[in-house]
PDB file of all heavy atoms in Angstrom:
ATOM      1  N   LEU A   6      99.203-137.733 -62.760  1.00  0.00           N
ATOM      2  CA  LEU A   6      98.494-138.205 -61.565  1.00  0.00           C
ATOM      3  C   LEU A   6      97.301-137.316 -61.220  1.00  0.00           C
ATOM      4  O   LEU A   6      97.236-136.748 -60.120  1.00  0.00           O
ATOM      5  CB  LEU A   6      99.460-138.260 -60.373  1.00  0.00           C
ATOM      6  CG  LEU A   6     100.645-139.221 -60.520  1.00  0.00           C
ATOM      7  CD1 LEU A   6     101.658-138.998 -59.405  1.00  0.00           C
ATOM      8  CD2 LEU A   6     100.159-140.667 -60.524  1.00  0.00           C
ATOM      9  N   PRO A   7      96.325-137.209 -62.114  1.00  0.00           N
ATOM     10  CA  PRO A   7      95.179-136.339 -61.805  1.00  0.00           C
ATOM     11  C   PRO A   7      94.315-136.841 -60.651  1.00  0.00           C
ATOM     12  O   PRO A   7      93.592-136.055 -60.041  1.00  0.00           O
ATOM     13  CB  PRO A   7      94.386-136.339 -63.127  1.00  0.00           C
ATOM     14  CG  PRO A   7      94.756-137.623 -63.788  1.00  0.00           C
ATOM     15  CD  PRO A   7      96.207-137.838 -63.444  1.00  0.00           C
ATOM     16  N   HIS A   8      94.422-138.143 -60.341  1.00  0.00           N
ATOM     17  CA  HIS A   8      93.567-138.719 -59.304  1.00  0.00           C
ATOM     18  C   HIS A   8      94.356-139.277 -58.127  1.00  0.00           C
ATOM     19  O   HIS A   8      93.796-139.962 -57.271  1.00  0.00           O
ATOM     20  CB  HIS A   8      92.682-139.817 -59.901  1.00  0.00           C
ATOM     21  CG  HIS A   8      91.875-139.360 -61.086  1.00  0.00           C
ATOM     22  ND1 HIS A   8      90.939-138.348 -60.994  1.00  0.00           N
ATOM     23  CD2 HIS A   8      91.905-139.746 -62.385  1.00  0.00           C
ATOM     24  CE1 HIS A   8      90.402-138.148 -62.196  1.00  0.00           C
ATOM     25  NE2 HIS A   8      90.970-138.970 -63.045  1.00  0.00           N
ATOM     26  N   LYS A   9      95.640-139.002 -58.091  1.00  0.00           N
ATOM     27  CA  LYS A   9      96.477-139.453 -56.982  1.00  0.00           C
ATOM     28  C   LYS A   9      97.362-138.298 -56.529  1.00  0.00           C
ATOM     29  O   LYS A   9      97.479-137.283 -57.218  1.00  0.00           O
ATOM     30  CB  LYS A   9      97.329-140.657 -57.402  1.00  0.00           C
ATOM     31  CG  LYS A   9      96.492-141.855 -57.870  1.00  0.00           C
ATOM     32  CD  LYS A   9      97.339-143.066 -58.110  1.00  0.00           C
ATOM     33  CE  LYS A   9      96.532-144.182 -58.783  1.00  0.00           C
ATOM     34  NZ  LYS A   9      95.358-144.581 -57.985  1.00  0.00           N
ATOM     35  N   LEU A  10      97.973-138.468 -55.370  1.00  0.00           N
ATOM     36  CA  LEU A  10      98.835-137.433 -54.811  1.00  0.00           C
ATOM     37  C   LEU A  10     100.298-137.755 -55.076  1.00  0.00           C
ATOM     38  O   LEU A  10     100.701-138.926 -55.087  1.00  0.00           O
ATOM     39  CB  LEU A  10      98.602-137.306 -53.303  1.00  0.00           C
ATOM     40  CG  LEU A  10      97.176-136.987 -52.851  1.00  0.00           C
ATOM     41  CD1 LEU A  10      97.100-136.923 -51.332  1.00  0.00           C
ATOM     42  CD2 LEU A  10      96.682-135.691 -53.472  1.00  0.00           C
ATOM     43  N   LEU A  11     101.093-136.704 -55.270  1.00  0.00           N
ATOM     44  CA  LEU A  11     102.532-136.852 -55.473  1.00  0.00           C
ATOM     45  C   LEU A  11     103.275-136.346 -54.242  1.00  0.00           C
ATOM     46  O   LEU A  11     103.115-135.191 -53.830  1.00  0.00           O
ATOM     47  CB  LEU A  11     102.975-136.068 -56.713  1.00  0.00           C
ATOM     48  CG  LEU A  11     104.484-136.121 -57.024  1.00  0.00           C
ATOM     49  CD1 LEU A  11     104.932-137.542 -57.328  1.00  0.00           C
ATOM     50  CD2 LEU A  11     104.822-135.187 -58.189  1.00  0.00           C
ATOM     51  N   LEU A  12     104.079-137.226 -53.670  1.00  0.00           N
ATOM     52  CA  LEU A  12     104.932-136.918 -52.520  1.00  0.00           C
ATOM     53  C   LEU A  12     106.377-136.904 -52.984  1.00  0.00           C
ATOM     54  O   LEU A  12     106.833-137.850 -53.624  1.00  0.00           O
ATOM     55  CB  LEU A  12     104.731-137.991 -51.438  1.00  0.00           C
ATOM     56  CG  LEU A  12     105.811-138.149 -50.361  1.00  0.00           C
ATOM     57  CD1 LEU A  12     105.927-136.897 -49.495  1.00  0.00           C
ATOM     58  CD2 LEU A  12     105.514-139.380 -49.496  1.00  0.00           C
ATOM     59  N   ALA A  13     107.097-135.846 -52.687  1.00  0.00           N
ATOM     60  CA  ALA A  13     108.520-135.763 -53.019  1.00  0.00           C
ATOM     61  C   ALA A  13     109.354-135.933 -51.748  1.00  0.00           C
ATOM     62  O   ALA A  13     109.058-135.313 -50.714  1.00  0.00           O
ATOM     63  CB  ALA A  13     108.847-134.422 -53.678  1.00  0.00           C
ATOM     64  N   THR A  14     110.389-136.773 -51.853  1.00  0.00           N
ATOM     65  CA  THR A  14     111.236-137.076 -50.698  1.00  0.00           C
ATOM     66  C   THR A  14     112.687-137.176 -51.116  1.00  0.00           C
ATOM     67  O   THR A  14     113.006-137.931 -52.051  1.00  0.00           O
ATOM     68  CB  THR A  14     110.832-138.418 -50.049  1.00  0.00           C
ATOM     69  OG1 THR A  14     109.478-138.363 -49.607  1.00  0.00           O
ATOM     70  CG2 THR A  14     111.730-138.755 -48.871  1.00  0.00           C
ATOM     71  N   PHE A  15     113.554-136.434 -50.453  1.00  0.00           N
ATOM     72  CA  PHE A  15     114.987-136.702 -50.529  1.00  0.00           C
ATOM     73  C   PHE A  15     115.372-137.273 -49.174  1.00  0.00           C
ATOM     74  O   PHE A  15     115.511-136.530 -48.199  1.00  0.00           O
ATOM     75  CB  PHE A  15     115.803-135.444 -50.832  1.00  0.00           C
ATOM     76  CG  PHE A  15     117.243-135.749 -51.163  1.00  0.00           C
ATOM     77  CD1 PHE A  15     117.684-135.719 -52.473  1.00  0.00           C
ATOM     78  CD2 PHE A  15     118.145-136.110 -50.168  1.00  0.00           C
ATOM     79  CE1 PHE A  15     119.004-136.025 -52.783  1.00  0.00           C
ATOM     80  CE2 PHE A  15     119.456-136.418 -50.462  1.00  0.00           C
ATOM     81  CZ  PHE A  15     119.899-136.377 -51.777  1.00  0.00           C
ATOM     82  N   ARG A  16     115.504-138.609 -49.121  1.00  0.00           N
ATOM     83  CA  ARG A  16     115.887-139.241 -47.867  1.00  0.00           C
ATOM     84  C   ARG A  16     117.399-139.188 -47.740  1.00  0.00           C
ATOM     85  O   ARG A  16     118.122-139.776 -48.556  1.00  0.00           O
ATOM     86  CB  ARG A  16     115.382-140.699 -47.848  1.00  0.00           C
ATOM     87  CG  ARG A  16     115.729-141.457 -46.575  1.00  0.00           C
ATOM     88  CD  ARG A  16     115.002-140.920 -45.350  1.00  0.00           C
ATOM     89  NE  ARG A  16     113.560-141.006 -45.537  1.00  0.00           N
ATOM     90  CZ  ARG A  16     112.736-139.953 -45.467  1.00  0.00           C
ATOM     91  NH1 ARG A  16     113.213-138.732 -45.205  1.00  0.00           N
ATOM     92  NH2 ARG A  16     111.444-140.103 -45.632  1.00  0.00           N
ATOM     93  N   THR A  17     117.907-138.469 -46.771  1.00  0.00           N
ATOM     94  CA  THR A  17     119.343-138.288 -46.632  1.00  0.00           C
ATOM     95  C   THR A  17     120.002-139.574 -46.142  1.00  0.00           C
ATOM     96  O   THR A  17     119.373-140.429 -45.518  1.00  0.00           O
ATOM     97  CB  THR A  17     119.661-137.155 -45.650  1.00  0.00           C
ATOM     98  OG1 THR A  17     119.247-137.538 -44.337  1.00  0.00           O
ATOM     99  CG2 THR A  17     118.948-135.865 -46.040  1.00  0.00           C
ATOM    100  N   LYS A  18     121.277-139.699 -46.450  1.00  0.00           N
ATOM    101  CA  LYS A  18     122.016-140.895 -46.036  1.00  0.00           C
ATOM    102  C   LYS A  18     121.994-141.057 -44.525  1.00  0.00           C
ATOM    103  O   LYS A  18     121.978-142.172 -43.999  1.00  0.00           O
ATOM    104  CB  LYS A  18     123.457-140.823 -46.545  1.00  0.00           C
ATOM    105  CG  LYS A  18     124.173-142.163 -46.509  1.00  0.00           C
ATOM    106  CD  LYS A  18     125.416-142.137 -47.385  1.00  0.00           C
ATOM    107  CE  LYS A  18     125.994-143.547 -47.489  1.00  0.00           C
ATOM    108  NZ  LYS A  18     127.172-143.575 -48.377  1.00  0.00           N
ATOM    109  N   ALA A  19     121.966-139.940 -43.810  1.00  0.00           N
ATOM    110  CA  ALA A  19     121.935-139.981 -42.351  1.00  0.00           C
ATOM    111  C   ALA A  19     120.679-140.659 -41.826  1.00  0.00           C
ATOM    112  O   ALA A  19     120.673-141.177 -40.703  1.00  0.00           O
ATOM    113  CB  ALA A  19     122.029-138.565 -41.787  1.00  0.00           C
ATOM    114  N   GLU A  20     119.613-140.671 -42.636  1.00  0.00           N
ATOM    115  CA  GLU A  20     118.366-141.290 -42.195  1.00  0.00           C
ATOM    116  C   GLU A  20     117.957-142.454 -43.109  1.00  0.00           C
ATOM    117  O   GLU A  20     116.775-142.767 -43.245  1.00  0.00           O
ATOM    118  CB  GLU A  20     117.257-140.241 -42.112  1.00  0.00           C
ATOM    119  CG  GLU A  20     117.553-139.176 -41.075  1.00  0.00           C
ATOM    120  CD  GLU A  20     116.325-138.629 -40.365  1.00  0.00           C
ATOM    121  OE1 GLU A  20     115.234-139.212 -40.504  1.00  0.00           O
ATOM    122  OE2 GLU A  20     116.469-137.618 -39.654  1.00  0.00           O
ATOM    123  N   GLY A  21     118.968-143.108 -43.688  1.00  0.00           N
ATOM    124  CA  GLY A  21     118.697-144.325 -44.431  1.00  0.00           C
ATOM    125  C   GLY A  21     118.608-144.191 -45.934  1.00  0.00           C
ATOM    126  O   GLY A  21     118.333-145.171 -46.626  1.00  0.00           O
ATOM    127  N   GLY A  22     118.833-142.990 -46.474  1.00  0.00           N
ATOM    128  CA  GLY A  22     118.763-142.780 -47.919  1.00  0.00           C
ATOM    129  C   GLY A  22     120.052-143.147 -48.621  1.00  0.00           C
ATOM    130  O   GLY A  22     121.004-143.632 -48.008  1.00  0.00           O
ATOM    131  N   GLN A  23     120.107-142.862 -49.922  1.00  0.00           N
ATOM    132  CA  GLN A  23     121.240-143.275 -50.748  1.00  0.00           C
ATOM    133  C   GLN A  23     122.320-142.211 -50.881  1.00  0.00           C
ATOM    134  O   GLN A  23     123.454-142.540 -51.194  1.00  0.00           O
ATOM    135  CB  GLN A  23     120.742-143.640 -52.151  1.00  0.00           C
ATOM    136  CG  GLN A  23     119.985-144.940 -52.203  1.00  0.00           C
ATOM    137  CD  GLN A  23     120.868-146.133 -51.908  1.00  0.00           C
ATOM    138  OE1 GLN A  23     120.815-146.719 -50.817  1.00  0.00           O
ATOM    139  NE2 GLN A  23     121.701-146.498 -52.853  1.00  0.00           N
ATOM    140  N   GLN A  24     121.966-140.945 -50.660  1.00  0.00           N
ATOM    141  CA  GLN A  24     122.934-139.880 -50.899  1.00  0.00           C
ATOM    142  C   GLN A  24     123.067-138.973 -49.680  1.00  0.00           C
ATOM    143  O   GLN A  24     122.078-138.670 -49.013  1.00  0.00           O
ATOM    144  CB  GLN A  24     122.502-139.020 -52.098  1.00  0.00           C
ATOM    145  CG  GLN A  24     122.400-139.757 -53.411  1.00  0.00           C
ATOM    146  CD  GLN A  24     122.050-138.824 -54.555  1.00  0.00           C
ATOM    147  OE1 GLN A  24     122.544-137.696 -54.632  1.00  0.00           O
ATOM    148  NE2 GLN A  24     121.180-139.285 -55.446  1.00  0.00           N
ATOM    149  N   ALA A  25     124.292-138.558 -49.434  1.00  0.00           N
ATOM    150  CA  ALA A  25     124.536-137.542 -48.409  1.00  0.00           C
ATOM    151  C   ALA A  25     124.330-136.162 -49.026  1.00  0.00           C
ATOM    152  O   ALA A  25     124.603-135.950 -50.208  1.00  0.00           O
ATOM    153  CB  ALA A  25     125.953-137.663 -47.857  1.00  0.00           C
ATOM    154  N   ILE A  26     123.832-135.241 -48.220  1.00  0.00           N
ATOM    155  CA  ILE A  26     123.625-133.869 -48.670  1.00  0.00           C
ATOM    156  C   ILE A  26     123.699-132.977 -47.445  1.00  0.00           C
ATOM    157  O   ILE A  26     123.197-133.339 -46.375  1.00  0.00           O
ATOM    158  CB  ILE A  26     122.263-133.721 -49.400  1.00  0.00           C
ATOM    159  CG1 ILE A  26     122.123-132.341 -50.042  1.00  0.00           C
ATOM    160  CG2 ILE A  26     121.104-134.029 -48.470  1.00  0.00           C
ATOM    161  CD1 ILE A  26     120.905-132.228 -50.964  1.00  0.00           C
ATOM    162  N   ASP A  27     124.353-131.826 -47.577  1.00  0.00           N
ATOM    163  CA  ASP A  27     124.432-130.944 -46.411  1.00  0.00           C
ATOM    164  C   ASP A  27     123.130-130.145 -46.282  1.00  0.00           C
ATOM    165  O   ASP A  27     122.277-130.153 -47.173  1.00  0.00           O
ATOM    166  CB  ASP A  27     125.657-130.033 -46.472  1.00  0.00           C
ATOM    167  CG  ASP A  27     125.680-129.098 -47.678  1.00  0.00           C
ATOM    168  OD1 ASP A  27     124.599-128.784 -48.233  1.00  0.00           O
ATOM    169  OD2 ASP A  27     126.783-128.672 -48.059  1.00  0.00           O
ATOM    170  N   ASP A  28     122.987-129.475 -45.161  1.00  0.00           N
ATOM    171  CA  ASP A  28     121.735-128.782 -44.883  1.00  0.00           C
ATOM    172  C   ASP A  28     121.448-127.682 -45.893  1.00  0.00           C
ATOM    173  O   ASP A  28     120.293-127.468 -46.285  1.00  0.00           O
ATOM    174  CB  ASP A  28     121.760-128.189 -43.464  1.00  0.00           C
ATOM    175  CG  ASP A  28     121.611-129.255 -42.390  1.00  0.00           C
ATOM    176  OD1 ASP A  28     121.077-130.340 -42.697  1.00  0.00           O
ATOM    177  OD2 ASP A  28     122.010-129.005 -41.239  1.00  0.00           O
ATOM    178  N   ALA A  29     122.492-126.989 -46.344  1.00  0.00           N
ATOM    179  CA  ALA A  29     122.284-125.919 -47.320  1.00  0.00           C
ATOM    180  C   ALA A  29     121.798-126.487 -48.652  1.00  0.00           C
ATOM    181  O   ALA A  29     120.870-125.937 -49.282  1.00  0.00           O
ATOM    182  CB  ALA A  29     123.578-125.128 -47.517  1.00  0.00           C
ATOM    183  N   GLY A  30     122.401-127.594 -49.076  1.00  0.00           N
ATOM    184  CA  GLY A  30     121.983-128.221 -50.320  1.00  0.00           C
ATOM    185  C   GLY A  30     120.579-128.792 -50.238  1.00  0.00           C
ATOM    186  O   GLY A  30     119.793-128.691 -51.197  1.00  0.00           O
ATOM    187  N   TYR A  31     120.256-129.372 -49.090  1.00  0.00           N
ATOM    188  CA  TYR A  31     118.922-129.926 -48.851  1.00  0.00           C
ATOM    189  C   TYR A  31     117.871-128.824 -48.935  1.00  0.00           C
ATOM    190  O   TYR A  31     116.851-128.962 -49.616  1.00  0.00           O
ATOM    191  CB  TYR A  31     118.925-130.569 -47.467  1.00  0.00           C
ATOM    192  CG  TYR A  31     117.661-131.277 -47.032  1.00  0.00           C
ATOM    193  CD1 TYR A  31     117.416-132.594 -47.389  1.00  0.00           C
ATOM    194  CD2 TYR A  31     116.732-130.633 -46.207  1.00  0.00           C
ATOM    195  CE1 TYR A  31     116.280-133.262 -46.947  1.00  0.00           C
ATOM    196  CE2 TYR A  31     115.595-131.281 -45.767  1.00  0.00           C
ATOM    197  CZ  TYR A  31     115.377-132.599 -46.130  1.00  0.00           C
ATOM    198  OH  TYR A  31     114.242-133.245 -45.695  1.00  0.00           O
ATOM    199  N   ALA A  32     118.144-127.707 -48.270  1.00  0.00           N
ATOM    200  CA  ALA A  32     117.193-126.590 -48.271  1.00  0.00           C
ATOM    201  C   ALA A  32     117.040-126.003 -49.669  1.00  0.00           C
ATOM    202  O   ALA A  32     115.922-125.718 -50.120  1.00  0.00           O
ATOM    203  CB  ALA A  32     117.651-125.510 -47.291  1.00  0.00           C
ATOM    204  N   ALA A  33     118.143-125.842 -50.382  1.00  0.00           N
ATOM    205  CA  ALA A  33     118.091-125.259 -51.723  1.00  0.00           C
ATOM    206  C   ALA A  33     117.308-126.146 -52.690  1.00  0.00           C
ATOM    207  O   ALA A  33     116.524-125.658 -53.509  1.00  0.00           O
ATOM    208  CB  ALA A  33     119.506-125.027 -52.246  1.00  0.00           C
ATOM    209  N   LEU A  34     117.514-127.454 -52.589  1.00  0.00           N
ATOM    210  CA  LEU A  34     116.787-128.395 -53.439  1.00  0.00           C
ATOM    211  C   LEU A  34     115.286-128.290 -53.198  1.00  0.00           C
ATOM    212  O   LEU A  34     114.487-128.156 -54.139  1.00  0.00           O
ATOM    213  CB  LEU A  34     117.268-129.818 -53.145  1.00  0.00           C
ATOM    214  CG  LEU A  34     116.492-130.955 -53.816  1.00  0.00           C
ATOM    215  CD1 LEU A  34     116.584-130.865 -55.335  1.00  0.00           C
ATOM    216  CD2 LEU A  34     117.021-132.308 -53.319  1.00  0.00           C
ATOM    217  N   TYR A  35     114.900-128.320 -51.938  1.00  0.00           N
ATOM    218  CA  TYR A  35     113.476-128.261 -51.599  1.00  0.00           C
ATOM    219  C   TYR A  35     112.862-126.899 -51.936  1.00  0.00           C
ATOM    220  O   TYR A  35     111.708-126.818 -52.355  1.00  0.00           O
ATOM    221  CB  TYR A  35     113.284-128.600 -50.124  1.00  0.00           C
ATOM    222  CG  TYR A  35     113.145-130.082 -49.841  1.00  0.00           C
ATOM    223  CD1 TYR A  35     113.353-131.049 -50.816  1.00  0.00           C
ATOM    224  CD2 TYR A  35     112.779-130.514 -48.569  1.00  0.00           C
ATOM    225  CE1 TYR A  35     113.206-132.384 -50.543  1.00  0.00           C
ATOM    226  CE2 TYR A  35     112.620-131.864 -48.280  1.00  0.00           C
ATOM    227  CZ  TYR A  35     112.837-132.800 -49.271  1.00  0.00           C
ATOM    228  OH  TYR A  35     112.676-134.139 -48.983  1.00  0.00           O
ATOM    229  N   GLN A  36     113.626-125.845 -51.743  1.00  0.00           N
ATOM    230  CA  GLN A  36     113.110-124.513 -52.085  1.00  0.00           C
ATOM    231  C   GLN A  36     112.759-124.428 -53.566  1.00  0.00           C
ATOM    232  O   GLN A  36     111.716-123.878 -53.937  1.00  0.00           O
ATOM    233  CB  GLN A  36     114.152-123.445 -51.714  1.00  0.00           C
ATOM    234  CG  GLN A  36     114.251-123.166 -50.227  1.00  0.00           C
ATOM    235  CD  GLN A  36     115.501-122.380 -49.865  1.00  0.00           C
ATOM    236  OE1 GLN A  36     116.307-122.028 -50.740  1.00  0.00           O
ATOM    237  NE2 GLN A  36     115.684-122.100 -48.585  1.00  0.00           N
ATOM    238  N   GLN A  37     113.620-125.008 -54.408  1.00  0.00           N
ATOM    239  CA  GLN A  37     113.345-124.958 -55.844  1.00  0.00           C
ATOM    240  C   GLN A  37     112.184-125.881 -56.227  1.00  0.00           C
ATOM    241  O   GLN A  37     111.389-125.547 -57.104  1.00  0.00           O
ATOM    242  CB  GLN A  37     114.592-125.312 -56.649  1.00  0.00           C
ATOM    243  CG  GLN A  37     114.420-125.054 -58.149  1.00  0.00           C
ATOM    244  CD  GLN A  37     115.709-124.623 -58.807  1.00  0.00           C
ATOM    245  OE1 GLN A  37     116.664-124.237 -58.151  1.00  0.00           O
ATOM    246  NE2 GLN A  37     115.745-124.683 -60.124  1.00  0.00           N
ATOM    247  N   LEU A  38     112.087-127.030 -55.560  1.00  0.00           N
ATOM    248  CA  LEU A  38     110.940-127.910 -55.808  1.00  0.00           C
ATOM    249  C   LEU A  38     109.639-127.172 -55.529  1.00  0.00           C
ATOM    250  O   LEU A  38     108.681-127.255 -56.300  1.00  0.00           O
ATOM    251  CB  LEU A  38     111.005-129.147 -54.916  1.00  0.00           C
ATOM    252  CG  LEU A  38     111.985-130.260 -55.256  1.00  0.00           C
ATOM    253  CD1 LEU A  38     111.800-131.407 -54.281  1.00  0.00           C
ATOM    254  CD2 LEU A  38     111.829-130.741 -56.684  1.00  0.00           C
ATOM    255  N   LEU A  39     109.609-126.454 -54.419  1.00  0.00           N
ATOM    256  CA  LEU A  39     108.392-125.739 -54.030  1.00  0.00           C
ATOM    257  C   LEU A  39     108.123-124.539 -54.936  1.00  0.00           C
ATOM    258  O   LEU A  39     106.971-124.216 -55.218  1.00  0.00           O
ATOM    259  CB  LEU A  39     108.506-125.288 -52.573  1.00  0.00           C
ATOM    260  CG  LEU A  39     108.455-126.423 -51.538  1.00  0.00           C
ATOM    261  CD1 LEU A  39     108.882-125.922 -50.160  1.00  0.00           C
ATOM    262  CD2 LEU A  39     107.059-127.030 -51.463  1.00  0.00           C
ATOM    263  N   ALA A  40     109.174-123.887 -55.388  1.00  0.00           N
ATOM    264  CA  ALA A  40     108.999-122.689 -56.210  1.00  0.00           C
ATOM    265  C   ALA A  40     108.671-123.013 -57.661  1.00  0.00           C
ATOM    266  O   ALA A  40     107.883-122.303 -58.299  1.00  0.00           O
ATOM    267  CB  ALA A  40     110.268-121.827 -56.149  1.00  0.00           C
ATOM    268  N   GLN A  41     109.251-124.094 -58.185  1.00  0.00           N
ATOM    269  CA  GLN A  41     109.128-124.371 -59.615  1.00  0.00           C
ATOM    270  C   GLN A  41     108.503-125.725 -59.940  1.00  0.00           C
ATOM    271  O   GLN A  41     108.184-125.991 -61.100  1.00  0.00           O
ATOM    272  CB  GLN A  41     110.505-124.284 -60.288  1.00  0.00           C
ATOM    273  CG  GLN A  41     111.138-122.905 -60.172  1.00  0.00           C
ATOM    274  CD  GLN A  41     112.484-122.829 -60.887  1.00  0.00           C
ATOM    275  OE1 GLN A  41     112.919-123.763 -61.540  1.00  0.00           O
ATOM    276  NE2 GLN A  41     113.144-121.687 -60.750  1.00  0.00           N
ATOM    277  N   GLY A  42     108.343-126.567 -58.950  1.00  0.00           N
ATOM    278  CA  GLY A  42     107.792-127.886 -59.201  1.00  0.00           C
ATOM    279  C   GLY A  42     106.292-127.939 -58.952  1.00  0.00           C
ATOM    280  O   GLY A  42     105.644-126.925 -58.674  1.00  0.00           O
ATOM    281  N   GLU A  43     105.748-129.164 -59.072  1.00  0.00           N
ATOM    282  CA  GLU A  43     104.340-129.425 -58.781  1.00  0.00           C
ATOM    283  C   GLU A  43     104.286-130.671 -57.914  1.00  0.00           C
ATOM    284  O   GLU A  43     104.732-131.747 -58.327  1.00  0.00           O
ATOM    285  CB  GLU A  43     103.545-129.668 -60.075  1.00  0.00           C
ATOM    286  CG  GLU A  43     103.355-128.446 -60.940  1.00  0.00           C
ATOM    287  CD  GLU A  43     102.196-127.572 -60.474  1.00  0.00           C
ATOM    288  OE1 GLU A  43     101.553-127.932 -59.468  1.00  0.00           O
ATOM    289  OE2 GLU A  43     101.952-126.538 -61.117  1.00  0.00           O
ATOM    290  N   LEU A  44     103.727-130.544 -56.717  1.00  0.00           N
ATOM    291  CA  LEU A  44     103.623-131.670 -55.809  1.00  0.00           C
ATOM    292  C   LEU A  44     102.537-131.393 -54.779  1.00  0.00           C
ATOM    293  O   LEU A  44     102.144-130.241 -54.563  1.00  0.00           O
ATOM    294  CB  LEU A  44     104.961-131.964 -55.124  1.00  0.00           C
ATOM    295  CG  LEU A  44     105.609-130.849 -54.299  1.00  0.00           C
ATOM    296  CD1 LEU A  44     106.485-131.430 -53.202  1.00  0.00           C
ATOM    297  CD2 LEU A  44     106.484-129.964 -55.195  1.00  0.00           C
ATOM    298  N   ASP A  45     102.061-132.463 -54.166  1.00  0.00           N
ATOM    299  CA  ASP A  45     101.018-132.350 -53.141  1.00  0.00           C
ATOM    300  C   ASP A  45     101.587-132.419 -51.735  1.00  0.00           C
ATOM    301  O   ASP A  45     101.068-131.773 -50.820  1.00  0.00           O
ATOM    302  CB  ASP A  45      99.993-133.485 -53.309  1.00  0.00           C
ATOM    303  CG  ASP A  45      99.316-133.457 -54.653  1.00  0.00           C
ATOM    304  OD1 ASP A  45      98.502-132.538 -54.880  1.00  0.00           O
ATOM    305  OD2 ASP A  45      99.592-134.342 -55.490  1.00  0.00           O
ATOM    306  N   LEU A  46     102.651-133.219 -51.580  1.00  0.00           N
ATOM    307  CA  LEU A  46     103.233-133.454 -50.263  1.00  0.00           C
ATOM    308  C   LEU A  46     104.751-133.422 -50.362  1.00  0.00           C
ATOM    309  O   LEU A  46     105.330-133.815 -51.380  1.00  0.00           O
ATOM    310  CB  LEU A  46     102.811-134.827 -49.713  1.00  0.00           C
ATOM    311  CG  LEU A  46     101.326-135.076 -49.504  1.00  0.00           C
ATOM    312  CD1 LEU A  46     100.930-136.414 -50.110  1.00  0.00           C
ATOM    313  CD2 LEU A  46     100.980-135.074 -48.026  1.00  0.00           C
ATOM    314  N   LEU A  47     105.386-132.983 -49.275  1.00  0.00           N
ATOM    315  CA  LEU A  47     106.843-132.930 -49.206  1.00  0.00           C
ATOM    316  C   LEU A  47     107.292-133.520 -47.876  1.00  0.00           C
ATOM    317  O   LEU A  47     106.808-133.110 -46.826  1.00  0.00           O
ATOM    318  CB  LEU A  47     107.338-131.486 -49.328  1.00  0.00           C
ATOM    319  CG  LEU A  47     108.859-131.265 -49.308  1.00  0.00           C
ATOM    320  CD1 LEU A  47     109.500-131.872 -50.552  1.00  0.00           C
ATOM    321  CD2 LEU A  47     109.184-129.773 -49.209  1.00  0.00           C
ATOM    322  N   ASP A  48     108.199-134.497 -47.937  1.00  0.00           N
ATOM    323  CA  ASP A  48     108.773-135.088 -46.725  1.00  0.00           C
ATOM    324  C   ASP A  48     109.979-134.257 -46.300  1.00  0.00           C
ATOM    325  O   ASP A  48     110.936-134.099 -47.050  1.00  0.00           O
ATOM    326  CB  ASP A  48     109.189-136.532 -47.000  1.00  0.00           C
ATOM    327  CG  ASP A  48     109.783-137.228 -45.780  1.00  0.00           C
ATOM    328  OD1 ASP A  48     110.826-136.758 -45.273  1.00  0.00           O
ATOM    329  OD2 ASP A  48     109.229-138.244 -45.337  1.00  0.00           O
TER     330      ASP A  48
END
């Protein structure tokens, strides 16, 4: 996507998503995305 933006989202089941995840797991997932991934936006 050299000409578009990438948004990463884990929508929790509590807010209409498909999977439940606790706060610690949610934070750990996002921390690794930010540390090792490539993205423009994070929900």
Side-chain angles (χ1 to χ4, degrees):
L6 298 169
H8 306 299
K9 301 187 189 302
L10 302 179
L11 179 63
L12 160 64
T14 300
F15 191 103
R16 180 67 59 237
T17 67
K18 196 163 188 178
E20 297 214 11
Q23 288 293 105
Q24 299 183 40
I26 188 170
D27 61 24
D28 286 337
Y31 183 85
L34 173 62
Y35 273 8
Q36 285 166 0
Q37 189 147 344
L38 284 183
L39 290 167
Q41 299 182 5
E43 290 278 0
L44 58 153
D45 300 289
L46 299 132
L47 181 67
D48 181 299

